[in-house]
Amino acid sequence: MRTPPDLILGTAMWGWTIDREGCFALLDEFYQKGGRRIDTATNYPINKNPSDFRRAEKLLAEWITTHEVTDLEVIMKVGSLNNMMTPDQNLSPSFLMICVEEYENLLGANLACVMIHWDNRKEGKEIDTTISTLQRLGEGRWKIGLSGIRYPEIYAEVLATHSLDDLPVELKHNLLYTDYERYAPLHERSSFIAYGINAGGVKLNPKGYSSKASLLARGGNPDTHEKLTSQLNDLLATRAILPSNRGLELNMNQLGMLYAAYHPGISGILLGPSRIEHLTDSFSWLQQLYTEDYTLLYEALENIEA
């Protein structure tokens, strides 16, 4: 069986549905379990509250400073200009210089990757300038990555002229939707990180949504996913597809992790836990996925029609 994917701690809901104490508790637990890779972005949380712009990164920086940590591997996504759920961004050389200086000072040795975030451009020359600028600014100190790219095929053409191998790319991958094939032009040179694995916070039990559930916070409606959850619940009732008959009560996060972990093209999974027990369950579940064989369940999930 292939090497287990890295677990990466996400921060999209920090300062929104997860308060400062909750964020710090998650960081403490993640770090204690050996987790080092953390994903954040300038516009987190994207809650349409301008006063919270950059709140997630500030919480992370505060924890780093408090604990004097220097061995994290932080993925910093840059370019977005607000947290209003708009595509407004700036990837000009001058703005990137400001961002890189800011985050090298804020995160220090913990900065491991600067990702281009939410790029809808199709002009190859502009993209080439962005890549060249980041290469010059990074000088090998951190990796360059991609997240939320509208035209992967244009990026592939531009990157063919640059010496960038093992390019980290974040893509949405869950039981409702996957971007993996859309990124086919970048498959040969990239390592892919799956985000949104629980489909935005969908729960198998329609009564399982709390007032702070991420799906509700983002304006989602649980009723629109009834077809998917009904199929999944029927599938899990077929115990023959599980490696044992212990009557496991699997949840959407576990199914999403399986769907990403067993995918041959994915090497990292971005987690979005809101509580410590969610995080510890994810670590335990990943270990179980590689001590028992869930191939039959994975294959069945591939055939689900959302």
Side-chain angles (χ1 to χ4, degrees), residues 208-261:
Y209 295 92
S210 70
S211 59
K212 289 188 176 182
S214 59
L215 180 72
L216 301 180
R218 292 185 171 105
N221 182 355
D223 293 341
T224 62
H225 305 299
E226 184 178 354
K227 178 182 177 182
L228 172 65
T229 56
S230 177
Q231 289 183 81
L232 292 175
N233 283 316
D234 289 345
L235 179 62
L236 293 176
T238 310
R239 297 299 180 188
I241 65 173
L242 297 174
S244 64
N245 292 315
R246 293 175 296 174
L248 292 173
E249 296 296 331
L250 301 183
N251 57 43
M252 194 67 179
N253 182 67
Q254 290 169 321
L255 293 178
M257 284 185 64
L258 167 60
Y259 191 60

Side-chain angles (χ1 to χ4, degrees), residues 77-153:
K77 295 180 292 203
V78 302
S80 297
L81 296 177
N82 61 61
N83 62 343
M84 304 299 289
M85 295 187 182
T86 73
D88 299 337
Q89 46 95 297
N90 187 348
L91 292 167
S92 66
S94 58
F95 188 71
L96 290 174
M97 288 176 65
I98 294 171
C99 290
V100 167
E101 181 178 6
E102 172 76 8
Y103 291 124
E104 287 190 333
N105 289 332
L106 189 69
L107 301 171
N110 298 289
L111 181 62
C113 179
V114 175
M115 278 193 172
I116 298 167
H117 195 203
W118 286 8
D119 190 2
N120 295 328
R121 299 174 300 173
K122 59 171 61 176
E123 296 80 9
K125 289 184 178 180
E126 291 184 9
I127 294 171
D128 183 78
T129 298
T130 296
I131 296 293
S132 297
T133 299
L134 288 175
Q135 282 186 297
R136 176 173 54 82
L137 293 172
E139 296 180 336
R141 294 190 303 277
W142 33 261
K143 288 186 175 183
I144 298 171
L146 308 175
S147 179
I149 304 303
R150 175 69 64 86
Y151 300 104
E153 66 277 11

Side-chain angles (χ1 to χ4, degrees), residues 44-82:
Y44 284 174
I46 311 175
N47 62 354
K48 295 186 178 182
N49 184 348
S51 64
D52 287 335
F53 185 57
R54 302 184 66 183
R55 179 64 175 155
E57 67 180 52
K58 291 174 182 176
L59 288 167
L60 174 58
E62 183 183 353
W63 184 88
I64 288 172
T65 300
T66 299
H67 294 275
E68 299 182 344
V69 169
T70 59
D71 62 342
L72 292 181
E73 298 176 24
V74 177
I75 298 169
M76 189 71 232
K77 295 180 292 203
V78 302
S80 297
L81 296 177
N82 61 61

Side-chain angles (χ1 to χ4, degrees), residues 146-175:
L146 308 175
S147 179
I149 304 303
R150 175 69 64 86
Y151 300 104
E153 66 277 11
I154 298 177
Y155 261 87
E157 293 175 3
V158 172
L159 288 167
T161 65
H162 293 267
S163 56
L164 286 174
D165 296 320
D166 193 26
L167 186 78
V169 176
E170 291 185 355
L171 53 78
K172 184 177 290 186
H173 179 78
N174 57 54
L175 292 166

